Amino acid sequence: MIKFHRGIDPNRFSESLVRLQNAEWWQNALEDPDLKIFVRENYVDIYISGQSIYKIDFLKAKNNANTNERYINDAPKSKRVNFDIDTGPLIRKGLAETAPSPTGLEAHDAIKRNARLFAKGEKIDVHALLDNHPDVLDVEITFGKDIVETVLGKATTATQRIDLVTAERVGDQVALVFWEVKRSDNEDLNPRKEKNVINQVVNYKKLVDHARTDIIESYTKVAKNLVALAEASRGKRSVGPAIRAIVDGCPLVVAPDPEVHIAVVDEGNTRLGDLVTKIEAALKRVEALAGTKVVSGRARDMRLER
């Protein structure tokens, strides 16, 4: 059966967090508010400015960890490389051959600095949005090839990836609300283009509707994982009230007509209002998108409100 998977078994995850608490690199990452942590299918992804600096596998009894080689060495290409999970990655990027490798917080700051060198585009915007939205459950929600072919047909070759999903309290339930984030100069915002955000949202709504049962099950588990991470961070990390409500037993739901909205990010375009008006007009011409909203503004000031 084709399924959508996110999350880690809560019991296995808690046991792994206990084992990791003596690893200095991990604790430094866990307690750093600059870093954003997201739970995938049996692994955790840790980001800064849209760059994945650590991936930790929680599927096996002994956890594995890797990073991008460009963040630790003077490597010409992007490549994931494993490192010792007890001691952390050995950082040599930009160092003379005889220079000592940084350790502790110095190493932690070095990998952050190195990763930021590669940060760009809408990924930066998405992660800037996170600072104002403690109830974001996930980013880069990618649907597998099997689900895409089943729902959209085998002719669909483009990756189907929604930028982020938030949890939002609605009465005695918590709703999952998905958002596609675009910079104001992104050509996908032009409804006349063959590849445009209107068509993207139509496809995303179909995919979410098809996988709704698995999505609800997955993000219920993810909420528990995020609370466990916050509890392991010695008070340095927290979750939003809607995520906490999921863990406390509040039912998680996907609306009958799945909510997928658009966020247009701009850092000073005085014609942003005209652009949003055009997008809204295009949305009104598609019956399936009657409930889709558009919000706009600077990434760090924007509120994702349904």
Side-chain angles (χ1 to χ4, degrees), residues 35-54:
L35 303 187
K36 311 303 179 186
I37 304 181
F38 292 99
V39 181
R40 311 305 193 184
E41 182 183 358
N42 292 313
Y43 72 93
V44 161
D45 225 337
I46 303 181
Y47 290 89
I48 186 164
S49 301
Q51 304 300 299
S52 171
I53 60 171
Y54 298 127

Side-chain angles (χ1 to χ4, degrees), residues 13 31 41 62 65-66 68 91 95 101 113 122 147 153 163 167 177 179 183 186 225 239 268 271:
F13 192 50
E31 296 177 15
E41 182 183 358
K62 180 170 175 55
N66 66 67
N68 192 314
I91 298 173
L95 297 180
S101 298
R113 183 171 59 252
E122 286 164 354
I147 294 179
D163 284 316
V177 183
W179 291 88
R183 281 193 166 180
N186 190 317
N225 298 152
V239 298
R271 303 194 65 181

Side-chain angles (χ1 to χ4, degrees), residues 34 71 90 158 165 177 235 245 275 278:
D34 288 345
Y71 306 158
L90 182 67
V165 59
V177 183
L275 175 62
K278 290 179 181 178

Side-chain angles (χ1 to χ4, degrees), residues 82-145:
N82 292 332
F83 61 84
D84 189 310
I85 199 163
D86 294 319
T87 60
L90 182 67
I91 298 173
R92 300 299 306 165
K93 186 178 182 70
L95 297 180
E97 185 175 347
T98 57
S101 298
T103 58
L105 281 173
E106 186 181 352
H108 176 74
D109 290 339
I111 198 167
K112 287 171 58 180
R113 183 171 59 252
N114 295 342
R116 281 183 167 131
L117 296 174
F118 300 94
K120 59 183 180 179
E122 286 164 354
K123 285 191 174 185
I124 297 176
D125 296 333
V126 169
H127 284 261
L129 280 168
L130 300 179
D131 289 334
N132 292 329
H133 298 86
D135 281 310
V136 171
L137 277 162
D138 200 5
V139 298
E140 298 182 351
I141 302 102
T142 305
F143 292 87
K145 180 181 178 181

Side-chain angles (χ1 to χ4, degrees), residues 38-255:
F38 292 99
V39 181
R40 311 305 193 184
E41 182 183 358
N42 292 313
Y43 72 93
V44 161
D45 225 337
I46 303 181
Y47 290 89
I48 186 164
S49 301
Q51 304 300 299
S52 171
I53 60 171
Y54 298 127
K55 289 184 179 179
I56 305 97
D57 179 2
F58 287 89
L59 182 60
K60 300 176 182 178
K62 180 170 175 55
N63 311 121
N64 296 319
N66 66 67
T67 188
N68 192 314
E69 190 174 23
R70 292 190 301 180
Y71 306 158
I72 59 174
N73 292 319
D74 293 311
K77 295 182 180 180
S78 177
K79 177 185 176 183
R80 303 301 297 194
V81 290
N82 292 332
F83 61 84
D84 189 310
I85 199 163
D86 294 319
T87 60
L90 182 67
I91 298 173
R92 300 299 306 165
K93 186 178 182 70
L95 297 180
E97 185 175 347
T98 57
S101 298
T103 58
L105 281 173
E106 186 181 352
H108 176 74
D109 290 339
I111 198 167
K112 287 171 58 180
R113 183 171 59 252
N114 295 342
R116 281 183 167 131
L117 296 174
F118 300 94
K120 59 183 180 179
E122 286 164 354
K123 285 191 174 185
I124 297 176
D125 296 333
V126 169
H127 284 261
L129 280 168
L130 300 179
D131 289 334
N132 292 329
H133 298 86
D135 281 310
V136 171
L137 277 162
D138 200 5
V139 298
E140 298 182 351
I141 302 102
T142 305
F143 292 87
K145 180 181 178 181
D146 290 344
I147 294 179
V148 173
E149 289 185 351
T150 298
V151 177
L152 304 179
K154 292 187 177 181
T156 303
T157 57
T159 300
Q160 302 297 307
R161 181 187 296 119
I162 309 177
D163 284 316
L164 61 88
V165 59
T166 64
E168 188 168 335
R169 191 69 181 261
V170 182
D172 60 354
Q173 298 178 324
V174 176
L176 288 173
V177 183
F178 296 83
W179 291 88
E180 182 64 11
V181 181
K182 300 289 186 188
R183 281 193 166 180
S184 61
D185 59 356
N186 190 317
E187 291 191 356
D188 290 353
L189 291 175
N190 184 346
R192 296 179 180 178
K193 295 282 187 180
E194 181 178 354
K195 179 179 179 291
N196 63 67
V197 72
I198 308 299
N199 293 335
Q200 281 183 297
V201 172
V202 169
N203 288 343
Y204 294 161
K205 286 170 73 75
K206 291 177 181 178
L207 291 164
V208 172
D209 187 48
H210 175 82
R212 65 172 58 239
T213 300
D214 294 337
I215 286 173
I216 290 169
E217 180 181 332
S218 287
Y219 286 120
T220 299
K221 190 185 299 182
V222 166
K224 295 177 181 178
N225 298 152
L226 292 175
V227 168
L229 286 166
E231 291 174 348
S233 72
R234 299 191 284 212
K236 301 296 177 59
R237 194 171 291 276
S238 62
V239 298
I243 292 176
R244 178 69 66 175
I246 298 168
V247 175
D248 290 342
C250 196
L252 185 62
V253 300
V254 171

